[in-house]
Each structure stands twice: as C-alpha cells, then as structure tokens.
Amino acid sequence: MKKLKKRFSRLVLSFDCSQAGYSSYAVDPYHLEYESGAYRQEELIAVLRDALPHFGLTHEEYLRLKNDDDIGEMYRLAMSRISKAKAFKKGDYGELLLFLMLYFNYDAQRFVTKVRLRSSSKDQIKGFDCAHFTVSDSDEVRLWLGEVKFYKSFSGAIKDVCDEIQEHIDEGYLKDEFSILCPNIEANHNVDLPEIIEEYLDNSVPLDQVKIVIPALVTYETALIKKYQSIDEFFRERFEKHFQQQFKYIEENVEITLPNNIEVFFVLLPLEDVAAIKNKLDFFEQVYR
C-alpha cells in the first residue's frame, strides 16, 4: 500500500481553513490536485480502481493471492463483492473512498471487511459503511464506524448522512451491528488487534462505555472547480470562503443527538463531475466481471 498511499496523498489534499464561529461540529475539508489545468478526477478513478483488492479482500485473501501471483483472481474476487446494482444506486465506491481516507489520513485500521458480508449481489451493505479502529497514544481504543454519501448535491448528502447517523446510533441498532461484526473480526497483517475490540462487540463492555467515532464522508459537485486550473492564491481565497459556507450550512442544518461516548465529524470532498466518476468505474467493473 506504500505506493498507493503516495499517490493518494499527492492527489487528495487537505485544505487548511478556519472554522472558528462557523460550525460546532469538526469538519475536515479536502480537494483534489490539478494537472495541466484539469481537476484530477481521472487519477482519483485510477486510485479507486487500483485500491479495489485492498478494499474487497481480507488481509489473508490478499496475501494468499499475491503470493500465488494470481492478480486476475485477486481482482475477480474483489469485484464479485461489489454490488451489481446500477451505478447511481450503490454506495460501494463511496465506501472504497472512505476506506482510503481513513487508512491514509487518519491511521484507522480495518477490523472487518464489510463488503464481504453482502447478502445478495444487488443488495447494499447494511449498517455502517466501515468498521475500523484507532489506538491513541494513551492506549484508548476507539471504533470508527463511518458513513458516506457519494453525491452530487451537498445539501442532499448532508441530510441523508445525518438521517442515517441518527438512526444508526440507536442502542438497539448498535447492538445489532455489533452482533454482526463480532464473529467477522479479522486479523490485520502486521497490525495487532486489541483484545478489547471483541469485548466491545460481544457486550462484555457496557455500550455507553464503548468509544465510537463516526466519520461522515460527503462528496458533492461545485462549479467553482472549473474556474481554476491550479492550486494558487486565488483558488485558496475562494475555497476558503466556499468551505466556510459549507461549515455554516452544517452548523445551521445538522441536529444529531449524540450520547457522550459517540463523536461525529464531517469529511468534505468537492468534485467536478460525480456522474463521470461513477460511469467510468461502472465501465471498469463490467470489464472485470
């Protein structure tokens, strides 16, 4: 994943933007780099394509197929876990983007390959869109149970992701989610899985003592992207105002009642053409099926 991380970190850039007075929720804004005057959506598609085996396979499956030098089977198996629903009705590639964001930008490791739990070829993954964890410097283990909306509309994405978060943090819903995750915990290559993760999920630890982070990844389209050809001072000035407008929208429209053990933060990624990304990923998918 080292080369993939390098490509991703040079493509998806964090935007340093003041949030003071705009939002009481933490919001991390990102954007893509430009190349030859074009926003680098083509490279984003290529990164998502190349990351598919890491997302769709368990660590054991990936290492076995890599050692067998069976790259074709690696992609075939990973692709078999992507929903066969129509391109604009499935969330798999948004979940893949969230997987990369968490792994590369927040050092959050996966403990369940959720895409493997699909119940039918056209079904969507139920529950949260990822199952990751982090360990702090003080050895506090947190479950990262994310949500993602790979949308064109910012307001639509915010509304839908908040509705899902409010539903998913219900005590009964969380316990059902944990009961599904617990028997599917995986060993990560070169990553020690803390024993307390299983204790969190098997009800040994009271639910209100389980530390949970919900990163909400939201993509959306903005016409601003086409007005620039590089990341220059004019881009930075205009996108500073743009992101502050988004922060203000979140502050004014998001109302999530959170228990003390759960925190939510938003990850924003503006795109030029969401439909083009989904259509090209769908074409790639048809080739590998």
Side-chain angles (χ1 to χ4, degrees):
M1 292 274 276
K2 289 183 179 179
K3 289 185 178 179
L4 196 61
K5 180 178 182 179
K6 186 178 292 186
R7 289 170 62 193
F8 190 82
S9 63
R10 289 177 176 174
L11 169 66
V12 181
L13 308 178
S14 177
F15 192 91
D16 186 15
C17 184
S18 173
Q19 298 180 38
Y22 289 99
S23 177
S24 56
Y25 291 91
V27 188
D28 289 350
Y30 291 85
H31 60 87
L32 302 185
E33 179 63 278
Y34 283 83
E35 181 178 28
S36 301
Y39 203 59
R40 298 189 72 192
Q41 287 198 169
E42 293 297 323
E43 179 61 14
L44 179 62
I45 294 168
V47 167
L48 292 175
R49 176 197 66 202
D50 295 346
L52 181 62
H54 298 282
F55 169 70
L57 305 179
T58 67
H59 286 277
E60 187 279 327
E61 290 170 333
Y62 180 85
L63 291 176
R64 173 173 54 81
L65 292 169
K66 181 181 179 181
N67 291 336
D68 290 344
D69 197 25
D70 198 343
I71 305 303
E73 175 61 14
M74 182 184 290
Y75 272 91
R76 188 207 65 76
L77 180 58
M79 188 60 74
S80 73
R81 291 174 179 166
I82 299 297
S83 170
K84 290 183 179 179
K86 293 182 179 180
F88 292 90
K89 292 187 176 181
K90 64 183 175 186
D92 301 68
Y93 295 112
E95 292 158 17
L96 171 50
L97 180 57
L98 176 63
F99 166 78
L100 294 175
M101 278 285 203
L102 296 186
Y103 191 82
F104 293 141
N105 293 37
Y106 300 94
D107 197 26
Q109 302 285 338
R110 181 176 63 187
F111 65 88
V112 172
T113 304
K114 286 213 68 179
V115 73
R116 193 166 62 98
L117 308 183
R118 191 185 308 281
S119 57
S120 73
S121 62
K122 289 189 177 182
D123 196 13
Q124 299 299 310
I125 298 299
K126 300 296 190 295
F128 288 98
D129 292 329
C130 71
H132 290 230
F133 74 95
T134 56
V135 182
S136 70
D137 292 339
S138 60
D139 293 328
E140 180 181 67
V141 177
R142 296 185 176 188
L143 302 185
W144 285 55
L145 307 176
E147 301 282 3
V148 57
K149 294 300 172 189
F150 201 170
Y151 279 20
K152 299 175 63 168
S153 163
F154 180 76
S155 60
I158 291 296
K159 178 185 182 304
D160 286 357
V161 79
C162 290
D163 286 348
E164 285 199 359
I165 290 172
Q166 193 65 70
E167 176 187 354
H168 292 178
I169 61 175
D170 173 77
E171 181 176 331
Y173 195 104
L174 278 173
K175 287 188 175 182
D176 287 345
E177 177 84 354
F178 287 4
S179 70
I180 294 171
L181 295 177
C182 190
N184 289 287
I185 295 174
E186 305 159 12
N188 276 315
H189 181 58
N190 290 334
V191 176
D192 292 328
L193 283 174
E195 291 183 7
I196 198 170
I197 289 180
E198 184 171 355
E199 296 174 8
Y200 278 167
L201 300 177
D202 69 7
N203 210 32
S204 297
V205 177
L207 184 60
D208 57 5
Q209 294 179 24
V210 178
K211 300 296 184 181
I212 298 174
V213 179
I214 301 178
L217 171 60
V218 169
T219 75
Y220 60 96
E221 290 183 0
T222 173
L224 277 179
I225 289 169
K226 294 181 180 180
K227 296 182 178 181
Y228 300 92
Q229 296 182 317
S230 64
I231 310 299
D232 57 18
E233 61 177 307
F234 302 106
F235 175 96
R236 295 185 186 282
E237 288 176 2
R238 185 60 188 87
F239 268 82
E240 171 90 13
K241 295 177 181 178
H242 168 77
F243 281 124
Q244 287 174 346
Q245 290 170 349
Q246 309 302 62
F247 302 158
K248 185 177 180 181
Y249 183 90
I250 290 172
E251 175 67 18
E252 293 176 349
N253 292 275
V254 172
E255 293 185 8
I256 305 174
T257 304
L258 294 171
N260 293 332
N261 62 311
I262 298 178
E263 63 180 273
V264 169
F265 75 94
F266 295 87
V267 180
L268 308 186
L269 179 62
L271 297 170
E272 181 178 353
D273 190 339
V274 170
I277 295 174
K278 291 188 175 183
N279 283 332
K280 289 187 178 182
L281 287 169
D282 188 61
F283 174 78
F284 169 76
E285 183 178 326
Q286 301 313 313
V287 171
Y288 267 87
R289 287 197 191 278

